[in-house]
Amino acid sequence: GIVRAGALVMAREGAAVVIADRDKEAGEATACDIRAAGGRAEAVTTDVGDDAAVEQLITSAIGKHGRIDILHNHAGIQVGGTLTEVGADGMDASWRINVRAQFLAARTVMPSMIAQGGGVILNTASNSGVFYDREMIAYATSKHAVVAMTRQMSLDYARHNVRINALCPGWVDTPFNEPFIAQMGGREAIETYVRTKIPMGRWASAEEIAEAILFLVSDRSSFM
């Protein structure tokens, strides 16, 4: 979905992209598409719910390429439900994938970025990190935490020329939304919601969000 489009657009601009995906075939398919277009990419099977895997991803990329200029933390899960419907395991899973994994990846890469004179970290939050969605306590809580964490990181490391921002996508029609669509009452209900509640009256495309990714990770946003 969104991060595939982001990887394609960053590669188009000349980045060597290391794609981390727990789905080996999906990651390799995106890497193949990048290479077919003349870009540089490799796929590394990674489950960001595993602390050791996150650390290995970062250290191996630095070891192979000598540096990481851009870290885009995007993996996430969507656990639906109200306070009394979400179990502690659902809240814990949301925190581990949506917040802790981003924290750990950023923490691991930061010394290298400082040593090389700068870098960019982009943490994917959500519009749910700014607004709220009905019956999504675990998701909204974790995404608000990502926004707060990003703000704190950005203040602490701007002096090292490391820029850190949060990406807060709106409604993009990808399989990631299936839990919320089911909760809303199915496809017809979500289409009505998008048509009546979203100011533009439509979904965004992954490619539209990818342009925001490119802006935030490149020198186009050098003072942001």
Side-chain angles (χ1 to χ4, degrees):
I2 292 171
V3 80
R4 179 183 185 278
L8 290 169
V9 77
M10 284 190 275
R12 185 192 73 198
E13 294 283 322
V17 182
V18 178
I19 298 163
D21 197 321
R22 65 176 179 167
D23 184 334
K24 180 179 180 180
E25 288 73 24
E28 188 55 46
T30 299
C32 286
D33 288 344
I34 289 172
R35 292 193 293 265
R40 296 172 292 163
E42 63 188 280
V44 180
T45 305
T46 305
D47 181 353
V48 300
D50 179 347
D51 289 359
V54 174
E55 293 175 343
Q56 175 62 26
L57 170 70
I58 301 297
T59 56
S60 63
I62 294 171
K64 182 172 183 177
H65 297 280
R67 62 190 294 127
I68 293 177
D69 295 295
I70 299 164
L71 170 65
H72 182 192
N73 286 314
H74 186 82
I77 62 171
Q78 194 178 93
V79 176
T82 64
L83 173 66
T84 54
E85 294 169 340
V86 173
D89 58 340
M91 181 63 84
D92 289 345
S94 298
W95 188 264
R96 172 167 286 278
I97 303 301
N98 296 350
V99 186
R100 180 187 171 90
Q102 296 196 13
F103 160 80
L104 187 60
R107 184 177 185 274
T108 305
V109 81
M110 187 58 72
S112 177
M113 285 189 170
I114 293 173
Q116 71 195 23
V120 177
I121 298 174
L122 181 61
N123 295 324
T124 294
S126 169
N127 60 353
S128 298
V130 182
F131 306 111
Y132 295 90
D133 288 318
R134 189 185 69 181
E135 300 174 359
M136 294 291 284
I137 189 169
Y139 188 69
T141 299
S142 67
K143 292 302 185 177
H144 273 70
V146 171
V147 172
M149 180 175 69
T150 301
R151 285 173 168 162
Q152 185 66 57
M153 288 180 182
S154 69
L155 292 175
D156 291 340
Y157 290 96
R159 62 192 177 92
H160 295 290
N161 196 35
V162 178
R163 296 191 302 104
I164 309 170
N165 284 289
L167 179 75
C168 296
W171 288 90
V172 185
D173 196 4
T174 71
F176 182 76
N177 292 312
E178 290 305 321
F180 191 71
I181 292 173
Q183 190 169 285
M184 289 287 289
R187 193 73 206 184
E188 184 177 343
I190 197 66
E191 291 294 348
T192 299
Y193 179 91
V194 169
R195 188 170 57 253
T196 58
K197 300 297 184 182
I198 305 305
M200 287 188 176
R202 66 172 178 85
W203 299 88
S205 71
E207 289 70 27
E208 286 174 308
I209 307 301
E211 291 299 324
I213 292 171
L214 180 61
F215 173 74
L216 290 169
V217 303
S218 71
D219 290 341
R220 292 166 173 84
S221 60
S222 57
F223 196 62
M224 182 175 291

